[in-house]
């Protein structure tokens, strides 16, 4: 019963979000085409940096996967990551992970190692998104400096008390998810925080890309850190969308967060272009990697 109510709530939120976007969208399909055809250098620079961000995200996943011993090469990991990326647009929203597991298994990586890497990946992505979200709340003056400093103190505390926090987190994950029962959070403290710092920096890179995209709309009131926070929090909220790829909810979250800095119609336009820009970045990296892969195979034949 509780699960049904939750699903109904998701659908209601999605419908309300789509309705809000349609009402406030002052952009016809031809306007989107014109924007893309007349895109300035900032757009392509933003796209290029976003492609680098995607490659870095894939590289971090490979490092976590290879932490206990060499499993696959960084290049092969990039190809697998981006090839499976588009499966997130299938109903269910988790097929990209299934595809990644399938492709990685073909290279001899055992399921347990993969599931542990995916668990760490999503855990760290969640932590980093929450940190950027807290910084975003501070920049919007929803929380004050003492609160921000108090939250900041939690990181060194978590570092020094890593072992009990690790054990507690492992127990909670085992209780909450059958999928990860039997999985052990075995990363040593230094490597856990190293990978966490990688994700934090990669999200800053994502923030730079999104900030450059905002410049194409003449938005000067949003700095790079705020842009990183808006994008990260929108991604996090989009996870509740009943549609694949966070479609609808993610755009609504982006409009809501941007509306504190720009008019709602402009924020709505940005959200639509951002989805297209995101997809273009994934297509560019996918095409590039698979083209290189095809050339290498033909040369080796």
């Amino acid at each position: 019963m509780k699960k049904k109510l939750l699903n109904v709530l998701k659908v209601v939120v999605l419908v309300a979000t789509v309705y809000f976007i349609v009402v406030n969208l002052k952009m016809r399909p031809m306007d989107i085409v014109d924007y893309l055809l007349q895109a300035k250098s900032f757009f392509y620079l933003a796209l290029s940096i976003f492609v680098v961000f995607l490659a870095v995200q894939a590289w971090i996943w490979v490092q976590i996967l290879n932490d206990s011993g060499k499993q696959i090469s960084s290049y092969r990991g990039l190809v697998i990551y981006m090839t499976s990326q588009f499966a997130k647009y299938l109903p269910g929203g988790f097929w990209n992970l299934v595809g990644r597991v399938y492709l990685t298994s073909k290279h001899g990586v055992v399921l347990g190692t993969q599931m542990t890497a995916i668990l760490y990946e999503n855990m760290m992505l969640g932590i980093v998104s929450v940190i950027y979200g807290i910084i975003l709340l501070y920049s919007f003056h929803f929380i004050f400096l003492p609160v921000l400093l108090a939250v900041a103190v939690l990181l060194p505390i978590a570092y020094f008390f890593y072992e009990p926090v690790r054990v507690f987190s492992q127990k909670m994950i085992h209780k909450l998810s059958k999928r990860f029962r039997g999985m052990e959070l075995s990363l040593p403290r230094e490597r856990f925080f190293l990978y966490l710092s990688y994700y934090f920096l990669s999200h800053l890179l994502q923030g730079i890309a999104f900030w450059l995209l905002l410049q194409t709309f003449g938005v000067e009131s949003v700095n790079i850190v705020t842009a990183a926070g808006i994008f990260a929090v929108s991604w996090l909220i989009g996870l509740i969308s009943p549609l694949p790829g966070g479609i609808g909810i993610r755009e609504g979250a982006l409009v809501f967060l941007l509306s504190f800095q720009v008019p709602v119609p402009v924020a709505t336009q940005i959200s639509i272009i951002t989805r297209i820009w995101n997809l273009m970045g994934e297509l560019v990296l996918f095409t590039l990697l698979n083209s290189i892969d095809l050339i290498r195979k033909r040369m080796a034949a």
Side-chain angles (χ1 to χ4, degrees):
M1 184 65 179
K2 190 182 294 184
K3 188 175 182 180
K4 288 183 179 179
L5 287 174
L6 183 61
N7 289 333
V8 169
L9 180 61
K10 286 182 179 181
V11 172
V12 169
V13 172
L14 176 63
V15 171
T17 302
V18 171
Y19 174 78
F20 177 80
I21 290 175
V22 170
V23 168
N24 288 280
L25 183 60
K26 308 299 180 183
M27 199 179 220
R28 297 168 300 172
M30 281 308 300
D31 294 330
I32 297 174
V33 174
D34 289 341
Y35 170 88
L36 295 174
L37 291 175
Q38 300 171 18
K40 299 178 181 178
S41 57
F42 272 139
F43 177 83
Y44 293 105
L45 183 57
L47 184 63
S48 300
I49 295 176
F50 185 69
V51 168
V52 174
F53 158 76
L54 290 172
V56 171
Q57 290 288 96
W59 177 82
I60 299 172
W61 165 69
V62 176
Q63 301 314 300
I64 298 173
L65 188 69
N66 288 341
D67 188 82
S68 59
K70 184 67 176 289
Q71 305 289 336
I72 55 175
S73 67
S74 294
Y75 173 75
R76 183 52 49 199
L78 286 174
V79 175
I80 290 172
Y81 188 95
M82 288 312 303
T83 301
S84 60
Q85 188 75 356
F86 296 99
K88 69 183 179 184
Y89 295 107
L90 295 174
F94 58 84
W95 292 107
N96 59 317
L97 298 179
V98 174
R100 202 194 304 175
V101 167
Y102 171 74
L103 293 173
T104 309
S105 297
K106 291 179 71 173
H107 291 273
V109 185
V110 298
L111 181 60
T113 301
Q114 293 189 59
M115 294 302 290
T116 301
I118 289 173
L119 176 59
Y120 270 118
E121 175 191 24
N122 285 278
M123 182 190 302
M124 292 180 190
L125 283 171
I127 292 172
V128 168
S129 296
V130 169
I131 291 173
Y132 273 105
I134 291 169
I135 296 173
L136 185 65
L137 289 175
Y138 172 71
S139 68
F140 285 169
H141 306 294
F142 288 157
I143 61 175
F144 300 105
L145 184 59
V147 178
L148 183 65
L149 294 175
V151 172
V153 170
L154 291 175
L155 281 176
I157 290 176
Y159 181 85
F160 287 111
F161 294 94
Y162 176 76
E163 188 57 27
V165 171
R166 182 192 69 81
V167 173
F168 174 77
S169 300
Q170 183 171 283
K171 288 180 179 178
M172 292 302 297
I173 290 170
H174 289 173
K175 285 183 179 179
L176 293 173
S177 176
K178 295 179 181 178
R179 191 178 303 166
F180 293 108
R181 283 180 185 172
M183 297 293 103
E184 185 179 354
L185 299 178
S186 56
L187 274 182
R189 174 173 58 187
E190 289 73 17
R191 291 209 291 275
F192 178 89
F193 280 90
L194 176 64
Y195 298 140
L196 189 65
S197 66
Y198 286 166
Y199 276 119
F200 189 85
L201 292 174
S202 73
H203 274 60
L204 187 60
L205 185 66
Q206 178 183 250
I208 294 172
F210 185 53
W211 176 80
L212 286 168
L213 182 66
L214 293 177
Q215 303 311 297
T216 66
F217 287 88
V219 177
E220 299 180 354
S221 57
V222 177
N223 60 39
I224 290 173
V225 176
T226 301
I230 289 173
F231 204 98
V233 173
S234 298
W235 171 84
L236 194 63
I237 295 174
L239 294 177
I240 70 171
S241 176
L243 293 182
I247 293 174
I249 299 296
R250 195 156 291 162
E251 281 71 26
L254 203 60
V255 172
F256 174 75
L257 294 171
L258 283 170
S259 67
F260 290 96
Q261 303 291 326
V262 299
V264 171
V266 176
T268 306
Q269 293 174 13
I270 292 172
S271 73
I272 300 301
I273 293 298
T274 298
R275 172 63 72 172
I276 297 170
W277 170 74
N278 194 313
L279 185 57
M280 286 176 66
E282 293 172 345
L283 284 169
V284 167
L285 186 55
F286 170 81
T287 303
L288 178 63
L289 289 171
N290 281 276
S291 296
I292 293 172
D293 207 31
L294 182 61
I295 293 170
R296 290 176 64 175
K297 287 179 180 178
R298 287 188 174 181
M299 289 178 66

